[in-house]
Amino acid sequence: MPTIQLVTKIKCDINICFDLSRSIDLHKISTAKTHETAIDGVTTGLIEYNEFVTWQATHFGIRQKLTSKITMFDKPFHFRDEQVRGPFKSIIHDHYFTQKDSYTIMKDIFRFTSPFGIAGRFFNKLILIKYLERLLRTRNQTIKEFAESEQWKLILKVDKQL
């Protein structure tokens, strides 16, 4: 099972980083290039434990749907989303958060299994791992940019006093 691990250091409170990471609205912003839109389940705001979202996006010129569900939730330290329906055999995405002084360390562990056996594994090595890593890095950079500025208040629609 291919695994992508990313660590992002964000100068912001852990609670804000956690909430931005589960924001459907921020996810839409970070995936604008693939025209991702939430079409079922939680389609705006913050996704919670045991809730699901169905995304529709275009990847490799093919319109696809993927439904993921939050299967673990320990605010503000960890949550997991898992594919329950979609083009992969499986996706498990763990999001970990640790506060270090004025920084939050956000760690993603993204594991997936492609369909199509040997052909799928070959496609993973040639294209898919790098493609997915680039999508995750873009998402994390968007979270970082919003968290380290006042833009997070637009997404979370609150005036937090931290």
Side-chain angles (χ1 to χ4, degrees):
M1 176 180 285
T3 301
I4 299 168
Q5 292 189 46
L6 300 175
V7 175
T8 308
K9 185 177 178 182
I10 303 171
K11 188 168 179 58
C12 190
D13 178 79
I14 190 172
N15 291 289
I16 293 170
C17 293
F18 186 88
D19 286 350
L20 287 174
S21 293
R22 62 193 182 97
S23 168
I24 301 298
D25 304 307
L26 190 64
H27 185 89
K28 291 176 195 176
I29 292 168
S30 72
T31 57
K33 288 183 181 178
T34 58
H35 310 288
E36 282 198 32
T37 185
I39 60 169
D40 195 18
V42 179
T43 59
T44 190
L46 302 179
I47 193 163
E48 302 282 349
Y49 175 69
N50 221 22
E51 293 182 332
F52 76 93
V53 58
T54 299
W55 294 101
Q56 183 172 283
T58 303
H59 297 281
F60 306 108
I62 303 167
R63 179 176 274 176
Q64 303 173 35
K65 292 181 185 175
L66 184 146
T67 301
S68 64
K69 181 177 180 178
I70 304 299
T71 59
M72 294 180 157
F73 195 86
D74 179 23
K75 185 177 183 173
F77 306 106
H78 171 251
F79 72 94
R80 171 184 283 177
D81 59 270
E82 296 185 57
Q83 175 190 281
V84 293
R85 192 171 38 256
F88 291 84
K89 274 189 165 180
S90 70
I91 294 176
I92 300 170
H93 186 182
D94 283 293
H95 309 256
Y96 294 98
F97 304 85
T98 308
Q99 187 82 49
K100 300 274 186 177
D101 301 318
S102 62
Y103 289 90
T104 297
I105 307 302
M106 184 173 70
K107 182 176 182 182
D108 287 276
I109 301 176
F110 186 90
R111 298 179 302 262
F112 68 96
T113 304
S114 297
F116 310 122
I118 293 170
R121 289 191 294 275
F122 186 69
F123 183 68
N124 289 347
K125 289 183 183 188
L126 284 180
I127 298 167
L128 192 56
I129 292 171
K130 289 177 186 170
Y131 181 81
L132 291 171
E133 184 174 332
R134 189 169 44 252
L135 286 176
L136 290 169
R137 285 191 189 282
T138 299
R139 176 187 170 278
N140 289 357
Q141 185 60 37
T142 303
I143 292 169
K144 181 178 175 71
E145 288 171 7
F146 276 72
E148 291 181 346
S149 70
E150 294 295 306
Q151 293 181 79
W152 66 267
K153 292 179 182 179
L154 301 172
I155 295 298
L156 299 180
K157 296 178 179 67
V158 294
D159 188 25
K160 292 192 176 189
Q161 299 294 318
L162 300 173

